Amino acid sequence: MSATVGSVTRDRYDELVKLGRDWVATLSGAQWRLGDAALEIEPMRSYGGANPSGKDDLFTVSEAIRMFAEDVGLAYSTVRDYRWVASRWPKERRRADVSHTIHKVLAGIPDEQERFEAVNNPPTNPRGGPPRWTHDSAKRVVTAGPRLGVGWERSHLAWWHS
C-alpha cells in the first residue's frame, strides 16, 4: 500500500478518518434530533393528513415543517427528509455506528423487519477490516431484488406527501 493517501501520510490519513467518523457521529446525532423534533411537531399521517387544507386556524403539515425549518435555519426539504428518516427508524432501531445518511438510504426498504435486519448486517469491507456500510453498498441493498419497481417507488415517495 502507498505511503501516502493524497497529500498526507497513511498515518495522518488514518487519523483524519477517525476524526471524520467522530464528526459524522456528531452530525448524525443532530440530524436525528432535528428529525425527531419535526416528527413531534407533525407526526406522519396518511396522505392529506388530518387537516390538509389548513382550515380551522391550523397549519398544514408542509406549513408547520416549513416554519420549523426556517426557524432553525435549514431548508424545508432537509427537515422534511430528516422527519421521514426518523419516522422509518424508531429510536431503539437506530445504530450509533451507522450514519444517518446510511439510515436514510436503507429507509427505502419498505418492509420494516427487512429494513431493521439490513442495518444490523453490513456488507464485507472491500478494503479489509470489519464489515461496514458505505453509501454505495446501502444503495445496492435497497435497489436489489423484489423492491425494484412500482411498489418500492410508492413506498419511498409516500413521505413526499406527508
Side-chain angles (χ1 to χ4, degrees):
M1 190 178 296
S2 174
T4 63
V5 176
S7 298
V8 298
T9 66
R10 182 62 195 204
D11 286 344
R12 178 63 179 150
Y13 175 82
D14 291 341
E15 289 173 23
L16 291 170
V17 167
K18 183 181 178 330
L19 287 169
R21 287 181 181 158
D22 290 344
W23 298 330
V24 168
T26 300
L27 175 63
S28 290
Q31 291 167 311
W32 285 121
R33 288 189 295 278
L34 287 160
D36 290 337
L39 202 52
E40 182 178 341
I41 292 165
E42 280 296 343
M44 299 304 280
R45 303 163 197 217
S46 59
Y47 181 73
N51 188 40
S53 64
K55 293 180 183 171
D56 303 325
D57 295 327
L58 296 174
F59 290 97
T60 65
V61 171
S62 294
E63 289 169 340
I65 298 304
R66 189 174 308 280
M67 181 179 192
F68 179 63
E70 290 172 359
D71 287 345
V72 299
L74 291 172
Y76 163 73
S77 60
T78 299
V79 174
R80 183 192 61 212
D81 287 353
Y82 292 172
R83 175 177 168 258
W84 178 74
V85 175
S87 78
R88 303 285 284 172
W89 293 98
K91 290 179 184 176
E92 66 276 4
R93 296 295 191 152
R94 299 172 189 172
R95 299 242 347 214
D97 62 332
V98 176
S99 74
H100 185 272
T101 299
I102 299 301
H103 280 86
K104 178 181 177 181
V105 174
L106 295 176
I109 299 172
D111 182 77
E112 190 174 81
Q113 211 44 48
E114 188 178 345
R115 181 170 60 250
F116 298 154
E117 288 174 21
V119 76
N120 291 320
N121 294 294
T124 304
N125 187 335
R127 288 182 282 161
R132 79 180 292 108
W133 285 106
T134 65
H135 188 261
D136 287 342
S137 64
K139 284 185 350 189
R140 279 193 298 275
V141 166
V142 171
T143 58
R147 287 180 299 281
L148 273 179
V150 175
W152 180 85
E153 290 168 357
R154 243 187 250 126
S155 167
H156 183 67
L157 295 178
W159 66 273
W160 188 267
H161 299 290
S162 328

